[in-house]
Amino acid sequence: MQPQPQPNSLVTYAITAAVILVVMAIRWRRTGRAMLLKLEQLWIMPAVLAAVVILVFATTPPHGLGWLFCLIAAGLGAALGWQRERMMRIDIDPETHRLSQTASPAALVFILIIVVLRQATKAEGAAFLHLDAAALTDMLLALAFGLVTAQRVEMGLRARAMLRAARAIRR
């Protein structure tokens, strides 16, 4: 027999769902709008996440198979980040060579699915993997780092290739 959810946990889930819905609604409004893409700033978010991951792993490092699970999570995150980047549109102004990016609705739905899966895992706990909360947090951090890093690297590579092609046509 499974234990009944406590009223406090239901309130927590409701608040979490409300926050996620508000954030997604704000992001949805921006979907489809072109935003300036600055190649020189693509490294910032992966660097911030790397600092967080290093800090967390330095203070409470994973033990045993936790390291393997973190590596797998980072690889899965990289694959998801690469896929998410493929759903984004990058345009270049032929005259000024200014880059812009447009997130597709599919990319937003993709992130929403990841958030829902994360919440489901959190609600279910890591009992099915026999992991504690710290190991699950480490894996989620590794997943986020892999996702953001792969997305930004792929975005930078694609945008630079577009710039080279546009400059070659202009000559």
Side-chain angles (χ1 to χ4, degrees), residues 65 69 121 124-132 135-136 139:
L65 287 177
F69 288 142
T121 303
E124 192 62 33
F128 66 96
L129 291 174
H130 303 289
L131 297 171
D132 59 4
L136 185 60
M139 289 171 25

Side-chain angles (χ1 to χ4, degrees), residues 131-155:
L131 297 171
D132 59 4
L136 185 60
T137 301
D138 292 344
M139 289 171 25
L140 290 172
L141 275 173
L143 180 96
F145 174 72
L147 189 141
V148 169
T149 301
Q151 177 185 352
R152 298 298 174 99
V153 166
E154 185 63 27
M155 190 182 298

Side-chain angles (χ1 to χ4, degrees), residues 71-87 110 114 142-151 154:
L71 284 174
I72 292 170
L76 178 62
L80 292 172
W82 176 77
Q83 180 61 37
R84 182 167 189 265
E85 194 282 329
R86 287 185 50 213
M87 293 182 216
F110 185 71
I114 291 172
L143 180 96
F145 174 72
L147 189 141
V148 169
T149 301
Q151 177 185 352
E154 185 63 27

Side-chain angles (χ1 to χ4, degrees), residues 8-24 112 115-120 122-123:
N8 287 344
S9 66
L10 292 176
V11 170
T12 302
Y13 291 134
I15 291 171
T16 303
V19 168
I20 290 171
L21 286 174
V22 168
V23 169
M24 288 298 166
L112 182 61
V115 169
V116 167
L117 287 174
R118 184 216 180 267
Q119 286 303 111
K122 184 178 172 186

Side-chain angles (χ1 to χ4, degrees), residues 29-113:
R29 289 186 58 188
R30 282 197 249 158
T31 300
R33 285 191 210 156
M35 295 174 47
L36 185 62
L37 174 61
K38 297 180 181 177
L39 286 176
E40 62 277 0
Q41 294 180 356
L42 287 177
W43 65 273
I44 295 172
M45 194 61 186
V48 168
L49 275 173
V52 169
V53 169
I54 289 169
L55 179 68
V56 169
F57 282 17
T59 56
T60 56
H63 18 298
L65 287 177
W67 284 107
L68 176 64
F69 288 142
C70 286
L71 284 174
I72 292 170
L76 178 62
L80 292 172
W82 176 77
Q83 180 61 37
R84 182 167 189 265
E85 194 282 329
R86 287 185 50 213
M87 293 182 216
M88 299 178 84
R89 195 170 103 210
I90 298 176
D91 294 311
I92 186 166
D93 184 313
E95 298 299 318
T96 63
H97 292 164
R98 291 185 70 173
L99 293 163
S100 63
Q101 68 179 3
T102 307
S104 73
L108 187 60
V109 170
F110 185 71
I111 289 296
L112 182 61
I113 289 169

